[in-house]
């Protein structure tokens, strides 16, 4: 028990690290068991490639803010970001709350949120080889689109993707907490998903939006979940704009973190009251 | 006749079961409306800056989007709830119960349930379709011409879904093989003119999305090419026969829950 009742800060960090590693290993082992499923999930995300075709075709006729080649790269980046930021925690929480499987988890001295988070991280690592080979295949088929971003850009991209994943996770986890009150949390997530795809820039880069829509969209949490990292990877975004987007991202992370914790506490009281 | 009676029984019972969750329907309708709004907005974005699809006005493209929503509704109401369960049947061995009944197993597996989930998509799809037709000056669409490609589209959609879902007999755990198909069918949101030549080749000959929305859409607008019109029932028939044969093969190969 000493590891779970740490005394000093150092002990606390060591214990946390050990728990995180344990959860990651368990998650990774579980995910690799269903490798075939992972490949299919990776392939299921073909929408960016479909839109890539439609947008590059449209850009040869009209005047758009991005060149055809930039569009190809943008949608490839969207594909990569979608691969790295997939979140399904709501469905897991829904199953656990409705099936009463949450009860045994509550007996463990680890907040279930950590288990969910590490499962998601592990899935990312298990999926990486497939996603990477799809990208390589893409460049082999379409060598003109190949480009090497600078180390600085790439580093910023990776940090932003990690942040995007965190925000997406926090938003969905907050919605998942509604499972304690309603059986329709997944329908609410469906609405959230539509907004995410559209305002996030999966359907079209935000650069194409009319200024009025764009001004509103910029303050929502969605652009930072997809458009921001993709656009940063392409380069050419003013630093001030990136800084503002990052500020919005951090702000929403805080909001949803606090909201999810508050709802978790309130929901838990309700859960025990339900006795399910 | 017997099949019609059985189907009506099947669908009444499954409908009653789903109607327990009426509240879900409101959210489904909202989500579907949101989805369609986003699709229409993205379509509009294509027409900004002088782009757009050659040979298609915005309103004409709306017709295609309406058809896409219609098919999404069919998937949500019939195909997804039924074929999603093949995996469950194979995994839990309940496929045996299906096979033991004196009724065609394909019928039982693929048309057992009718769920109200896709209704909202169908409704909004029809609204969009009618709006698109009216606004593009086709208030009296060539319905007669469109019946053949429209029904061929439904048959083709069914056959494609059924083909993919049948692979569950071999691989058991493929909840998401149908998601791959769903992703590819997303290309039906826009008329084929939206895509580069290589894409169009794929969408006509490999995953025949063109026959789902573009060809019926052109028929409704009264300007489908006769070769495409003639090809659509043919493609649907080939796909259906292939799906049927594949299911038969899968059933001969199937050795029960343990094998």
């Amino acid at each position: 028990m000493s590891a779970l009742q740490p005394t000093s800060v150092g002990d606390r960090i060591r214990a946390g690290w050990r728990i995180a590693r344990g959860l990651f290993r368990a998650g990774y082992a579980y995910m690799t068991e269903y490798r075939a499923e992972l490949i299919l999930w990776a392939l299921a995300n073909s929408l960016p490639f479909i839109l890539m075709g439609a947008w590059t075709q449209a850009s040869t006729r009209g005047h758009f803010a991005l060149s055809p080649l930039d569009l190809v790269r943008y949608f490839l980046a969207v594909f990569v970001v979608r691969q790295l930021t997939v979140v399904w925690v709501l469905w897991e929480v829904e199953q656990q709350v409705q099936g009463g499987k949450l009860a045994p988890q509550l007996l463990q001295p680890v907040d279930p949120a950590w288990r969910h988070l590490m499962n998601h991280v592990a899935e990312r690592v298990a999926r990486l080889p497939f996603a990477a080979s799809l990208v390589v295949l893409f460049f082999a088929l379409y060598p003109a689109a190949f480009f090497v971003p600078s180390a600085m850009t790439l580093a910023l991209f990776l940090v932003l993707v990690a942040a995007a994943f965190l925000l997406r996770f926090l938003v969905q986890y907050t919605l998942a907490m509604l499972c304690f009150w309603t059986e329709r949390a997944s329908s609410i997530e469906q609405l959230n998903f539509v907004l995410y795809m559209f305002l996030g820039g999966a359907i079209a880069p935000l650069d194409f939006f009319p200024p009025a829509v764009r001004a509103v969209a910029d303050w929502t949490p969605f652009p930072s979940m997809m458009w921001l990292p993709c656009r940063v990877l392409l380069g050419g975004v003013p630093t001030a704009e990136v800084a503002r987007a990052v500020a919005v991202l951090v702000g929403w992370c805080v909001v949803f973190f606090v909201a999810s914790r508050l709802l978790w506490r309130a929901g838990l009281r309700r859960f025990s009251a339900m006795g399910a | 006749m017997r099949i019609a009676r059985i189907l009506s029984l099947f669908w009444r019972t499954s409908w009653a079961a789903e109607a327990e969750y009426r509240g879900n329907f409101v959210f489904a309708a909202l989500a579907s409306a949101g989805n369609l709004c986003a699709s229409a907005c993205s379509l509009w974005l294509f027409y900004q800056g002088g782009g757009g699809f050659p040979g298609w006005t915005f309103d004409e493209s709306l017709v295609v989007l309406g058809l896409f929503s219609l098919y999404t509704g069919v998937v949500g109401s019939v195909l997804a709830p039924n074929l999603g369960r093949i995996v469950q049947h194979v995994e839990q061995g309940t496929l045996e119960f299906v096979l033991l009944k004196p009724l065609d197993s394909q019928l039982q597996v693929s048309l057992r349930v009718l769920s109200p989930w896709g209704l909202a998509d169908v409704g909004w799809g029809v609204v969009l379709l009618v709006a698109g037709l009216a606004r593009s000056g086709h208030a009296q669409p060539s319905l007669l011409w469109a019946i053949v490609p429209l029904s061929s589209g439904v048959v083709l959609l069914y056959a494609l879904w059924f083909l993919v879902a049948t692979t569950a007999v071999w691989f058991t755990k493929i909840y998401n093989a149908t998601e791959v198909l769903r992703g590819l069918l997303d290309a039906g949101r826009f008329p084929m003119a939206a895509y580069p030549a290589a894409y169009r080749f794929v969408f006509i000959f490999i995953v025949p999305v063109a026959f789902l929305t573009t060809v019926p859409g052109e028929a409704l607008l009264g300007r489908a090419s006769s070769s495409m019109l003639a090809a659509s029932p043919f493609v649907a028939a080939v796909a259906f026969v292939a799906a049927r044969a594949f299911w038969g093969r899968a059933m001969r190969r199937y050795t029960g829950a343990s094998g």
Side-chain angles (χ1 to χ4, degrees):
Chain A
M1 285 304 277
S2 63
L4 299 168
Q5 291 170 338
T7 44
S8 73
V9 179
D11 277 350
R12 208 180 267 266
I13 292 172
R14 263 193 294 279
W17 174 247
R18 221 175 11 246
I19 291 170
R21 220 176 42 179
L23 290 177
F24 175 82
R25 273 194 197 153
Y28 185 74
Y30 177 79
M31 290 305 164
T32 42
E33 202 185 328
Y34 301 111
R35 299 185 283 287
E37 230 180 330
L38 280 180
I39 298 180
L40 288 173
W41 277 128
L43 287 177
N45 187 17
S46 53
L47 188 63
F49 293 111
I50 291 170
L51 287 163
M52 180 194 287
W55 275 113
T56 47
Q57 185 76 357
S59 68
T60 55
R61 285 186 304 275
H63 300 286
F64 291 101
L66 293 174
S67 72
L69 204 56
D70 273 345
L71 277 167
V72 170
R73 289 172 183 160
Y74 176 82
F75 281 106
L76 185 65
V78 167
F79 172 76
V80 172
V81 171
R82 289 273 293 127
Q83 294 292 322
L84 294 175
T85 60
V86 188
V87 172
W88 64 90
V89 67
L90 186 134
W91 284 269
E92 260 175 36
V93 172
E94 191 174 48
Q95 234 175 358
Q96 290 182 349
V97 171
Q98 284 170 12
K101 286 184 199 137
L102 184 62
Q105 288 219 352
L106 292 174
L107 288 175
Q108 295 182 347
V110 180
D111 191 306
W114 291 111
R115 188 181 296 273
H116 291 307
L117 185 66
M118 289 320 283
N119 270 345
H120 280 70
V121 173
E123 194 261 4
R124 233 87 324 172
V125 177
R127 184 196 281 243
L128 209 56
F130 310 127
S133 39
L134 281 177
V135 172
V136 170
L137 179 72
F138 179 81
F139 282 133
L141 288 174
Y142 196 178
F146 186 72
F147 71 116
V148 183
S150 72
M152 204 39 214
T153 311
L154 196 64
L156 185 60
F157 172 73
L158 290 175
V159 171
L160 285 175
V161 170
F165 161 66
L166 195 65
L167 179 56
R168 174 105 177 95
F169 183 85
L170 284 172
V171 171
Q172 211 188 77
Y173 196 63
T174 307
L175 293 181
M177 292 302 110
L178 300 179
C179 290
F180 287 113
W181 287 272
T182 167
E183 272 133 43
R184 298 180 199 107
S186 53
S187 313
I188 299 171
E189 164 60 19
Q190 271 172 19
L191 269 176
N192 174 44
F193 186 74
V194 170
L195 287 174
Y196 161 69
M197 290 300 269
F198 189 67
L199 296 177
I203 307 292
L206 260 64
D207 312 64
F208 295 176
F209 285 18
V213 181
R214 178 75 198 280
V216 177
D218 275 343
W219 293 104
T220 65
F222 305 107
S224 51
M225 293 183 197
M226 200 147 35
W227 177 83
L228 180 64
C230 295
R231 206 56 189 76
V232 162
L233 192 67
L234 290 188
V237 192
T239 319
E241 210 180 319
V242 175
R244 197 201 42 193
V246 169
V248 172
L249 169 70
V250 173
W252 281 114
C253 278
V254 173
V255 168
F256 279 104
F257 177 75
V258 173
S260 67
R261 288 336 283 174
L262 289 177
L263 284 172
W264 166 250
R265 282 199 202 127
L268 216 50
R269 273 199 292 278
R270 230 186 114 80
F271 181 68
S272 53
M274 237 155 62
Chain B
M1 221 48 256
R2 176 165 162 270
I3 288 178
R5 217 181 59 237
I6 289 171
L7 271 184
S8 96
L9 266 178
F10 273 172
W11 288 359
R12 264 204 310 244
T13 51
S14 63
W15 187 277
E18 282 279 348
E20 259 183 76
Y21 308 98
R22 278 185 293 274
N24 277 343
F25 184 75
V26 177
F27 279 100
L30 273 177
S32 145
N35 212 339
L36 215 56
C37 259
S39 301
C41 286
S42 59
L43 195 61
W44 181 76
L45 286 176
F46 275 101
Y47 281 86
Q48 293 300 100
F53 312 135
W56 291 77
T57 65
F58 176 71
D59 295 319
E60 287 168 349
S61 299
L62 277 185
V63 174
V64 169
L65 192 58
L67 283 169
F68 177 75
S69 180
L70 213 69
Y71 285 116
T72 309
V74 172
V75 168
S77 267
V78 183
L79 299 177
N82 283 296
L83 299 176
R85 294 199 321 183
I86 290 189
V87 176
Q88 217 179 323
H89 277 317
V90 174
E91 223 178 13
Q92 302 180 350
T94 44
L95 191 59
E96 271 88 322
F97 302 147
V98 172
L99 295 175
L100 283 173
K101 284 178 193 146
L103 182 65
D104 186 75
S105 59
Q106 179 177 352
L107 183 78
Q108 281 185 75
V109 157
S110 61
L111 295 174
R112 171 68 184 81
V113 175
L114 179 69
S115 134
W117 281 104
L119 275 189
D121 284 319
V122 172
W124 294 120
V126 169
V127 169
L128 212 57
L129 189 70
V130 171
L133 282 172
R135 283 171 47 112
S136 58
H138 292 81
Q140 283 167 323
S142 337
L143 268 183
L144 209 63
W145 272 113
I147 282 174
V148 173
L150 263 175
S151 41
S152 305
V154 174
V155 173
L156 177 62
L157 189 68
Y158 168 87
L160 288 176
W161 265 76
F162 193 65
L163 265 172
V164 173
T166 301
T167 55
V169 173
W170 278 274
F171 303 119
T172 316
K173 239 189 123 58
I174 45 156
Y175 284 104
N176 36 32
T178 47
E179 290 299 314
V180 178
L181 181 66
R182 211 196 277 260
L184 287 172
L185 295 185
D186 261 339
R189 272 170 213 274
F190 306 127
M192 282 303 124
Y195 299 104
Y199 279 60
R200 261 177 275 171
F201 178 83
V202 172
F203 294 146
I204 290 175
F205 294 105
I206 298 175
V207 192
V209 183
F211 293 100
L212 291 182
T213 54
T214 306
V215 175
E218 281 173 336
L220 277 171
L221 294 167
R223 57 178 173 145
S225 74
S226 48
S227 59
M228 280 304 219
L229 272 183
S232 75
F234 177 71
V235 170
V238 168
F240 184 82
V241 170
R244 177 105 188 136
F246 191 50
W247 176 250
R249 211 183 142 80
M251 284 307 96
R252 272 198 300 284
R253 156 89 178 35
Y254 180 71
T255 50
S258 55

